[in-house]
Amino acid sequence: MATPEEIERRVEEADAARSARRSAAAKRIGELAQHRAAIAEQLADIERDLGDVLAESSDVIDIEELARFTDLPVSDLTRWREARKTNRTRRKKPAARAAGAQNDTSRGQSAPRIPTNDQAAKPPEPAVPRGDTVNAPDRVAAEVS
């Protein structure tokens, strides 16, 4: 029968090999994740550049013509252009709101409706919650590492 010291030594030997493999796996995953993050950042920069060039050249060439010349799908070209517009819009909105632009009726707000043909004006009805969200659980933010 093995002594307690011998058992401890055997467990440590078995754990050492497993620990070395675990350490190697963790290091490799970390390296690959860093490499992926760098490439994702490069891709985002390229897509931003694509959107900028698409927007800048829209007065001389449209998406369909670009698609014919480049063999790129219209959907990709449109997505890159629209992503650029969305990002620009997001950055400008807070400044516009700070300047008091929220009351600007040129942004799609309609004028009050005036009753016609002897229709009596009705007070607005209270908002009714959508049926698909009444019992929906609250969203919980999750930390991603």
Side-chain angles (χ1 to χ4, degrees), residues 17-125:
R18 183 171 183 263
S19 290
R21 289 184 58 211
R22 292 174 65 215
S23 178
K27 287 179 191 176
R28 185 67 178 139
I29 295 295
E31 291 167 354
L32 289 170
Q34 286 178 341
H35 186 64
R36 181 195 176 281
I39 290 172
E41 187 175 331
Q42 288 176 337
L43 180 59
D45 290 342
I46 291 168
E47 287 184 349
R48 212 173 1 265
D49 290 345
L50 278 164
D52 289 344
V53 173
L54 283 163
E56 292 166 2
S57 62
S58 65
D59 61 334
V60 293
I61 190 166
D62 65 16
I63 296 288
E64 289 76 18
E65 192 174 23
L66 274 168
R68 281 194 313 270
F69 292 154
T70 62
D71 290 335
L72 292 168
V74 170
S75 60
D76 286 350
L77 294 167
T78 303
R79 179 174 43 90
W80 294 324
R81 185 190 62 201
E82 295 301 318
R84 177 192 179 275
K85 288 181 182 178
T86 301
N87 289 338
R88 288 241 168 139
T89 303
R90 284 186 189 144
R91 284 193 295 255
K92 288 183 181 179
K93 279 185 181 177
R97 284 191 186 126
Q102 68 266 24
N103 293 329
D104 182 5
T105 57
S106 67
R107 294 190 331 165
Q109 296 177 356
S110 61
R113 188 171 173 214
I114 301 171
T116 58
N117 297 336
D118 296 329
Q119 295 175 345
K122 295 181 188 176
E125 295 192 22

